[in-house]
Amino acid sequence: MDAMIFVWLILSIAIILFTILKLKLNPAIALVLGSLFMGIASGLGAENTINTIGTGFGDLMTGIALPVGFGVILGQLLSDSGGAKVIATTMIEKTSEKYALYALGITAFLLSVPVFYDVTFVILIPLAIAVSRQISKPLPYTVGAMVIGAGAAHTLAPPTPNPLAAAEILHFDLGIMVIVGTILGFIAAILAMKVFFLLLDKGLWNPEKDETGVAVYEEHAASQKKGEPSFIMSLIPILLPVILILIGTVMDAVMDDIPEIVTVLSNKTTALLIGALSAYIISRAALTKDECEQSATEALKSCGIVLLITGAGGSFGAIISATGLADMLAETIQSISASPVLALLIAFVIAALFRVALGSGTVASITTMTIMASVPAAVGMHPVWMAIACLSGSLSCGHVNDSGFWVSTNLSGFTITGGLKSYTLGNAITAVFAMIFAIIGCLVIPL
């Protein structure tokens, strides 16, 4: 029976892949169908399977739905008020031409903490074109910097949905995910940019094959909103929730009894709520009340499908947990080798395969983390390293079935090969560095 559960898992994954790739159903529906098959085939019974699917969805949403929603509203207000553009232009203006590419990548990293990848790219692509002209570097350099910076933050740094869900699924403190994900993501992005620029210097890019020759943006004077927030004010909604969460994590580590006010304010829901409220206040100088309301409505439209897919991933995870498969997988890995490095490599490969097949980094990471949830305890490692491995794998292989690929490629005026060389390769290099850091981390700081 134990072996058959692994067979049911493979078949349920095949159902998910088939319904997404061939039937073109939404990933959330595909995940629920796969969950239904997995539960019934494994002997949970139809009624118990349905209840478990609902419980799994609800449990994950309890932990992340409000924080993600507040985070998306925060990012949309920052974008619509002009604050995101202020951050971008200020970061570039304060940097010498020598470091302009890295400044652009760091700006993309910073903006992608509260803002979805696609929105970050749309905001920054005109700036990337202007910087390319200013420093006399071909566009692939600036686009690559943006792709790497934004991809790293969106995948590894909370409060974006994937790393936020990681702490919930793998049961560890969100503040640890904030610290590790942000620091490792930032360092991996910087190193990936360096490698990517070296590859461009060595002749990776072929303008005739990799560019369409169609100018996507024409140079024009930048429009400025009335009441646009300053650079410092624009940073407040981004930094405030992170600081609050980290205060709770640090105090929990050094104190036996944390004051209740700290516990409340450092809770991820409260912290993101405060961040969203600060974004409302700061945006009011540039936006009317109706415009703020419209901005929030647009934000929730974009995050609704993300939450639905993420929650459906939670349902699949709950079914896997109910069958006992996650524990069996942990025991299997432990019997093969107790090495945490092997466990991390397996997680990375599984997430990468899901990303290649499905295109969705969210589905890839959520599904892999639920499958590997019992492994960290079995091999003696802190679950944050498993989270980094799963998230890195989900970043590694974005290509033509990924919406981010087409946003980056089309807005940059690149061909498909140009998109593969910039979006796919840039993110893959970042993923490899992040994975290396996860391996080092689990060996140096196991628990």
mmCIF file of all heavy atoms in Angstrom, residues 247-277:
data_model
loop_
_atom_site.group_PDB
_atom_site.id
_atom_site.type_symbol
_atom_site.label_atom_id
_atom_site.label_comp_id
_atom_site.label_asym_id
_atom_site.label_seq_id
_atom_site.Cartn_x
_atom_site.Cartn_y
_atom_site.Cartn_z
ATOM 1 N N ILE A 247 11.146 42.874 14.480
ATOM 2 C CA ILE A 247 11.177 43.200 15.911
ATOM 3 C C ILE A 247 10.627 42.024 16.719
ATOM 4 O O ILE A 247 11.203 41.621 17.741
ATOM 5 C CB ILE A 247 10.376 44.483 16.208
ATOM 6 C CG1 ILE A 247 11.136 45.715 15.695
ATOM 7 C CG2 ILE A 247 10.099 44.620 17.708
ATOM 8 C CD1 ILE A 247 10.346 47.003 15.796
ATOM 9 N N GLY A 248 9.513 41.455 16.254
ATOM 10 C CA GLY A 248 8.933 40.308 16.947
ATOM 11 C C GLY A 248 9.862 39.105 16.954
ATOM 12 O O GLY A 248 10.005 38.416 17.971
ATOM 13 N N THR A 249 10.516 38.859 15.815
ATOM 14 C CA THR A 249 11.436 37.717 15.723
ATOM 15 C C THR A 249 12.632 37.887 16.645
ATOM 16 O O THR A 249 13.026 36.950 17.364
ATOM 17 C CB THR A 249 11.924 37.557 14.267
ATOM 18 O OG1 THR A 249 10.796 37.329 13.415
ATOM 19 C CG2 THR A 249 12.881 36.378 14.137
ATOM 20 N N VAL A 250 13.218 39.079 16.655
ATOM 21 C CA VAL A 250 14.395 39.336 17.494
ATOM 22 C C VAL A 250 14.034 39.238 18.971
ATOM 23 O O VAL A 250 14.748 38.606 19.764
ATOM 24 C CB VAL A 250 14.997 40.718 17.171
ATOM 25 C CG1 VAL A 250 16.088 41.083 18.175
ATOM 26 C CG2 VAL A 250 15.562 40.731 15.760
ATOM 27 N N MET A 251 12.918 39.853 19.364
ATOM 28 C CA MET A 251 12.519 39.825 20.772
ATOM 29 C C MET A 251 12.168 38.413 21.223
ATOM 30 O O MET A 251 12.425 38.021 22.370
ATOM 31 C CB MET A 251 11.348 40.780 21.008
ATOM 32 C CG MET A 251 11.741 42.248 20.846
ATOM 33 S SD MET A 251 10.448 43.407 21.389
ATOM 34 C CE MET A 251 10.527 43.192 23.164
ATOM 35 N N ASP A 252 11.595 37.610 20.320
ATOM 36 C CA ASP A 252 11.281 36.221 20.649
ATOM 37 C C ASP A 252 12.558 35.419 20.909
ATOM 38 O O ASP A 252 12.579 34.495 21.726
ATOM 39 C CB ASP A 252 10.488 35.589 19.507
ATOM 40 C CG ASP A 252 10.053 34.169 19.819
ATOM 41 O OD1 ASP A 252 9.495 33.947 20.898
ATOM 42 O OD2 ASP A 252 10.295 33.285 18.989
ATOM 43 N N ALA A 253 13.641 35.803 20.220
ATOM 44 C CA ALA A 253 14.907 35.088 20.367
ATOM 45 C C ALA A 253 15.648 35.463 21.651
ATOM 46 O O ALA A 253 16.393 34.652 22.202
ATOM 47 C CB ALA A 253 15.800 35.349 19.154
ATOM 48 N N VAL A 254 15.442 36.694 22.147
ATOM 49 C CA VAL A 254 16.241 37.165 23.295
ATOM 50 C C VAL A 254 15.436 37.297 24.586
ATOM 51 O O VAL A 254 16.016 37.500 25.650
ATOM 52 C CB VAL A 254 16.904 38.521 22.968
ATOM 53 C CG1 VAL A 254 17.820 38.405 21.761
ATOM 54 C CG2 VAL A 254 15.858 39.616 22.730
ATOM 55 N N MET A 255 14.097 37.178 24.494
ATOM 56 C CA MET A 255 13.266 37.355 25.684
ATOM 57 C C MET A 255 12.396 36.123 25.920
ATOM 58 O O MET A 255 11.941 35.477 24.972
ATOM 59 C CB MET A 255 12.369 38.597 25.531
ATOM 60 C CG MET A 255 13.128 39.913 25.434
ATOM 61 S SD MET A 255 12.002 41.331 25.183
ATOM 62 C CE MET A 255 11.032 41.286 26.692
ATOM 63 N N ASP A 256 12.140 35.813 27.166
ATOM 64 C CA ASP A 256 11.246 34.701 27.509
ATOM 65 C C ASP A 256 9.786 35.101 27.339
ATOM 66 O O ASP A 256 8.977 34.330 26.828
ATOM 67 C CB ASP A 256 11.495 34.247 28.952
ATOM 68 C CG ASP A 256 12.864 33.616 29.126
ATOM 69 O OD1 ASP A 256 13.361 33.016 28.143
ATOM 70 O OD2 ASP A 256 13.441 33.738 30.221
ATOM 71 N N ASP A 257 9.461 36.300 27.801
ATOM 72 C CA ASP A 257 8.090 36.798 27.692
ATOM 73 C C ASP A 257 8.072 38.070 26.860
ATOM 74 O O ASP A 257 8.642 39.093 27.247
ATOM 75 C CB ASP A 257 7.511 37.085 29.084
ATOM 76 C CG ASP A 257 7.356 35.816 29.914
ATOM 77 O OD1 ASP A 257 6.881 34.811 29.343
ATOM 78 O OD2 ASP A 257 7.723 35.839 31.104
ATOM 79 N N ILE A 258 7.393 38.009 25.711
ATOM 80 C CA ILE A 258 7.304 39.173 24.823
ATOM 81 C C ILE A 258 6.071 39.980 25.212
ATOM 82 O O ILE A 258 4.992 39.407 25.417
ATOM 83 C CB ILE A 258 7.180 38.731 23.356
ATOM 84 C CG1 ILE A 258 8.326 37.801 22.979
ATOM 85 C CG2 ILE A 258 7.165 39.930 22.424
ATOM 86 C CD1 ILE A 258 8.215 37.228 21.588
ATOM 87 N N PRO A 259 6.192 41.305 25.323
ATOM 88 C CA PRO A 259 5.018 42.133 25.601
ATOM 89 C C PRO A 259 3.925 41.905 24.563
ATOM 90 O O PRO A 259 4.213 41.719 23.374
ATOM 91 C CB PRO A 259 5.572 43.562 25.519
ATOM 92 C CG PRO A 259 7.035 43.418 25.800
ATOM 93 C CD PRO A 259 7.427 42.094 25.234
ATOM 94 N N GLU A 260 2.679 41.909 25.019
ATOM 95 C CA GLU A 260 1.567 41.609 24.120
ATOM 96 C C GLU A 260 1.503 42.584 22.949
ATOM 97 O O GLU A 260 1.193 42.188 21.816
ATOM 98 C CB GLU A 260 0.243 41.643 24.890
ATOM 99 C CG GLU A 260 -0.951 41.227 24.046
ATOM 100 C CD GLU A 260 -2.241 41.190 24.835
ATOM 101 O OE1 GLU A 260 -2.221 41.604 26.028
ATOM 102 O OE2 GLU A 260 -3.255 40.762 24.284
ATOM 103 N N ILE A 261 1.820 43.853 23.202
ATOM 104 C CA ILE A 261 1.757 44.850 22.133
ATOM 105 C C ILE A 261 2.726 44.497 21.011
ATOM 106 O O ILE A 261 2.446 44.679 19.819
ATOM 107 C CB ILE A 261 2.052 46.268 22.684
ATOM 108 C CG1 ILE A 261 1.887 47.310 21.585
ATOM 109 C CG2 ILE A 261 3.443 46.344 23.305
ATOM 110 C CD1 ILE A 261 0.499 47.455 21.066
ATOM 111 N N VAL A 262 3.903 43.963 21.382
ATOM 112 C CA VAL A 262 4.892 43.551 20.374
ATOM 113 C C VAL A 262 4.372 42.351 19.589
ATOM 114 O O VAL A 262 4.509 42.286 18.356
ATOM 115 C CB VAL A 262 6.248 43.231 21.029
ATOM 116 C CG1 VAL A 262 7.232 42.671 19.996
ATOM 117 C CG2 VAL A 262 6.829 44.466 21.694
ATOM 118 N N THR A 263 3.778 41.395 20.295
ATOM 119 C CA THR A 263 3.228 40.209 19.631
ATOM 120 C C THR A 263 2.169 40.605 18.609
ATOM 121 O O THR A 263 2.131 40.073 17.488
ATOM 122 C CB THR A 263 2.605 39.251 20.669
ATOM 123 O OG1 THR A 263 3.601 38.873 21.619
ATOM 124 C CG2 THR A 263 2.050 38.017 19.996
ATOM 125 N N VAL A 264 1.322 41.551 18.982
ATOM 126 C CA VAL A 264 0.249 41.992 18.082
ATOM 127 C C VAL A 264 0.812 42.734 16.878
ATOM 128 O O VAL A 264 0.473 42.447 15.726
ATOM 129 C CB VAL A 264 -0.754 42.887 18.840
ATOM 130 C CG1 VAL A 264 -1.752 43.522 17.868
ATOM 131 C CG2 VAL A 264 -1.486 42.085 19.899
ATOM 132 N N LEU A 265 1.699 43.712 17.136
ATOM 133 C CA LEU A 265 2.219 44.541 16.046
ATOM 134 C C LEU A 265 3.136 43.769 15.105
ATOM 135 O O LEU A 265 3.222 44.102 13.918
ATOM 136 C CB LEU A 265 2.964 45.749 16.617
ATOM 137 C CG LEU A 265 2.109 46.784 17.352
ATOM 138 C CD1 LEU A 265 2.985 47.901 17.917
ATOM 139 C CD2 LEU A 265 1.046 47.370 16.413
ATOM 140 N N SER A 266 3.823 42.745 15.605
ATOM 141 C CA SER A 266 4.749 41.989 14.762
ATOM 142 C C SER A 266 4.065 40.842 14.026
ATOM 143 O O SER A 266 4.692 40.189 13.185
ATOM 144 C CB SER A 266 5.908 41.442 15.601
ATOM 145 O OG SER A 266 5.436 40.515 16.567
ATOM 146 N N ASN A 267 2.804 40.583 14.343
ATOM 147 C CA ASN A 267 2.052 39.582 13.592
ATOM 148 C C ASN A 267 1.974 40.001 12.128
ATOM 149 O O ASN A 267 1.758 41.166 11.808
ATOM 150 C CB ASN A 267 0.651 39.451 14.183
ATOM 151 C CG ASN A 267 -0.188 38.436 13.436
ATOM 152 O OD1 ASN A 267 -0.792 38.739 12.417
ATOM 153 N ND2 ASN A 267 -0.229 37.210 13.956
ATOM 154 N N LYS A 268 2.141 39.055 11.207
ATOM 155 C CA LYS A 268 2.217 39.411 9.786
ATOM 156 C C LYS A 268 0.972 40.125 9.278
ATOM 157 O O LYS A 268 1.061 41.035 8.449
ATOM 158 C CB LYS A 268 2.497 38.171 8.938
ATOM 159 C CG LYS A 268 1.519 37.027 9.078
ATOM 160 C CD LYS A 268 1.947 35.835 8.219
ATOM 161 C CE LYS A 268 1.031 34.631 8.401
ATOM 162 N NZ LYS A 268 1.189 34.011 9.735
ATOM 163 N N THR A 269 -0.197 39.743 9.793
ATOM 164 C CA THR A 269 -1.429 40.399 9.356
ATOM 165 C C THR A 269 -1.453 41.857 9.819
ATOM 166 O O THR A 269 -1.738 42.769 9.030
ATOM 167 C CB THR A 269 -2.657 39.657 9.912
ATOM 168 O OG1 THR A 269 -2.631 38.304 9.451
ATOM 169 C CG2 THR A 269 -3.942 40.333 9.454
ATOM 170 N N THR A 270 -1.126 42.081 11.085
ATOM 171 C CA THR A 270 -1.108 43.444 11.620
ATOM 172 C C THR A 270 -0.035 44.282 10.932
ATOM 173 O O THR A 270 -0.280 45.447 10.572
ATOM 174 C CB THR A 270 -0.841 43.420 13.137
ATOM 175 O OG1 THR A 270 -1.714 42.498 13.770
ATOM 176 C CG2 THR A 270 -1.044 44.812 13.729
ATOM 177 N N ALA A 271 1.149 43.705 10.744
ATOM 178 C CA ALA A 271 2.252 44.445 10.132
ATOM 179 C C ALA A 271 1.912 44.887 8.714
ATOM 180 O O ALA A 271 2.153 46.036 8.329
ATOM 181 C CB ALA A 271 3.515 43.583 10.125
ATOM 182 N N LEU A 272 1.321 43.978 7.930
ATOM 183 C CA LEU A 272 0.955 44.336 6.551
ATOM 184 C C LEU A 272 -0.229 45.291 6.522
ATOM 185 O O LEU A 272 -0.326 46.140 5.627
ATOM 186 C CB LEU A 272 0.643 43.077 5.752
ATOM 187 C CG LEU A 272 1.802 42.456 4.955
ATOM 188 C CD1 LEU A 272 2.324 43.421 3.895
ATOM 189 C CD2 LEU A 272 2.930 42.006 5.849
ATOM 190 N N LEU A 273 -1.145 45.174 7.505
ATOM 191 C CA LEU A 273 -2.248 46.126 7.604
ATOM 192 C C LEU A 273 -1.706 47.528 7.855
ATOM 193 O O LEU A 273 -2.136 48.500 7.215
ATOM 194 C CB LEU A 273 -3.196 45.711 8.726
ATOM 195 C CG LEU A 273 -4.313 46.697 9.076
ATOM 196 C CD1 LEU A 273 -5.223 46.945 7.874
ATOM 197 C CD2 LEU A 273 -5.108 46.213 10.279
ATOM 198 N N ILE A 274 -0.758 47.644 8.775
ATOM 199 C CA ILE A 274 -0.155 48.947 9.069
ATOM 200 C C ILE A 274 0.572 49.480 7.836
ATOM 201 O O ILE A 274 0.491 50.675 7.518
ATOM 202 C CB ILE A 274 0.802 48.830 10.277
ATOM 203 C CG1 ILE A 274 -0.001 48.543 11.553
ATOM 204 C CG2 ILE A 274 1.627 50.107 10.443
ATOM 205 C CD1 ILE A 274 0.858 48.204 12.751
ATOM 206 N N GLY A 275 1.257 48.589 7.117
ATOM 207 C CA GLY A 275 1.918 49.008 5.885
ATOM 208 C C GLY A 275 0.934 49.520 4.851
ATOM 209 O O GLY A 275 1.175 50.537 4.196
ATOM 210 N N ALA A 276 -0.196 48.821 4.709
ATOM 211 C CA ALA A 276 -1.216 49.251 3.744
ATOM 212 C C ALA A 276 -1.832 50.599 4.151
ATOM 213 O O ALA A 276 -2.070 51.467 3.305
ATOM 214 C CB ALA A 276 -2.299 48.185 3.624
ATOM 215 N N LEU A 277 -2.094 50.756 5.460
ATOM 216 C CA LEU A 277 -2.652 52.032 5.934
ATOM 217 C C LEU A 277 -1.669 53.176 5.702
ATOM 218 O O LEU A 277 -2.073 54.285 5.307
ATOM 219 C CB LEU A 277 -2.990 51.925 7.423
ATOM 220 C CG LEU A 277 -4.188 51.029 7.780
ATOM 221 C CD1 LEU A 277 -4.310 50.893 9.295
ATOM 222 C CD2 LEU A 277 -5.478 51.597 7.184
#
